[in-house]
């Protein structure tokens, strides 16, 4: 039987142990020390009343006694009064915290597109975490061949998280848009009439062509495509065609850019006296007929009027 003094010391020791044990958080990660390692289990001391046991296969590396490891405290005491730990949950928690940090800091992550699913693709980020890449978030342009992206390594940014389901949504398009916005501003800051730029035909309409100058669209009006007659812009350019254009006008307030193509070519009337003389017979193409005559194109940009009085009776009757 313990003496009063020994009983008092024992009580203080138990109080200290209980206080220390109560400081250990449940449902969180703590640092533990490996006590023993067997083929099936790892005994780990986290400074509590008892040691915890974790299945050996939850560790991907070899362990030795005394080594420190991070473990997840599921319960300080289960029904059997034992400490319940998990290495798998510790890894999953750390992985999710890493994802949350990347989302909050808008970190750019590199990943690989590993497979296609309905609505988009699955991307492997941070080496071991799958994320969903919606089809609309792959590129700024509509993607038609999704399979072409399989196996491709690209940069992504996390745009949405669902902690309950631990679903991760990423975007590559948002990075392109950011680059285009920066490039667009750089182009607009230095743009001035007379500047020659390279662009890509983006859209063809009846009245002209919209040219992508690298994040900035300019209008190439049908009248500035060629010195000759153009009935439709598709006669001169085609979609995705690259071409050099000159800035004719830039409205900074409305950010409207007028472009020209024919202005980069020599004016057809330059040197006309060297090519044609009075009385010379030439062939031409009738491009327009009016009540008073016909306009004949000799070459692009050069037309002449054949008055009705100069036509033969056959032509006049018809």
């Amino acid at each position: 039987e313990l003496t009063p003094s020994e009983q008092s010391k024992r009580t203080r020791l138990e109080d200290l142990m209980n206080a220390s044990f109560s400081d250990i958080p449940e449902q969180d990660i703590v640092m533990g020390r490996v006590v023993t390692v067997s083929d099936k289990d790892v005994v780990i001391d986290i400074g509590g009343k008892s040691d915890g046991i974790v299945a050996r296969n939850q560790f991907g590396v070899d362990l030795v006694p005394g080594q420190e490891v991070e473990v997840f405290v599921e319960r300080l005491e289960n029904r059997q009064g034992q400490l319940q730990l998990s290495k798998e949950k510790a890894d999953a928690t750390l992985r999710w915290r890493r994802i949350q940090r990347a989302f909050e800091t808008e970190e750019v992550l590199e990943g690989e597109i590993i497979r296609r699913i309905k609505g988009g693709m699955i991307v492997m980020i941070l080496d071991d975490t799958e994320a969903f890449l919606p089809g609309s978030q792959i590129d700024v342009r509509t993607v038609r061949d999704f399979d072409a992206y399989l196996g491709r390594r690209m940069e992504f940014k996390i745009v949405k998280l669902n902690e309950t389901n631990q679903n991760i949504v990423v975007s590559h398009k948002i990075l392109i848009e950011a680059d285009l916005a920066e490039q667009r501003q750089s182009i607009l800051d230095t743009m001035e009439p007379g500047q020659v730029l390279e662009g890509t035909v983006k859209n063809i309409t009846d009245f002209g062509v919209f040219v992508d100058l690298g994040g900035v669209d300019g209008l190439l009006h049908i009248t500035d495509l060629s010195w000759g007659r153009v009935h439709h812009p598709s006669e001169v350019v085609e979609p995705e065609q690259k071409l050099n254009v000159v800035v004719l006008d830039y409205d900074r307030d409305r950010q409207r850019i007028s472009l020209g193509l024919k202005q980069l070519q020599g004016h057809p009337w330059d040197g006309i006296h060297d090519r044609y003389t009075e009385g010379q017979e030439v062939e031409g193409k009738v491009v327009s007929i009016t009540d008073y005559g016909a306009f004949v194109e000799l070459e692009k940009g050069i037309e002449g009027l054949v008055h009705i009085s100069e036509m033969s009776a056959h032509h006049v009757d018809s």
Side-chain angles (χ1 to χ4, degrees), residues 91-92 94-103 107-112 123-131 153-154 156 158 161 168 170:
D91 292 340
L94 290 172
R95 185 163 53 246
W96 186 251
R97 289 177 182 175
R98 172 74 177 88
I99 291 294
Q100 287 179 314
R101 186 166 63 254
F103 175 61
E107 180 183 353
V108 177
L109 304 172
E110 185 174 308
E112 180 180 351
V123 179
M124 184 69 76
I125 58 175
L126 299 175
D127 298 327
D128 58 0
T129 304
E130 292 188 356
R153 293 195 67 82
M154 302 166 64
F156 304 94
I158 299 173
L161 288 180
I168 307 165
V170 297

Side-chain angles (χ1 to χ4, degrees), residues 46-58:
I46 63 169
K49 290 181 179 180
S50 61
D51 295 336
I53 299 176
V54 181
R56 176 68 184 83
N57 57 18
Q58 291 191 23

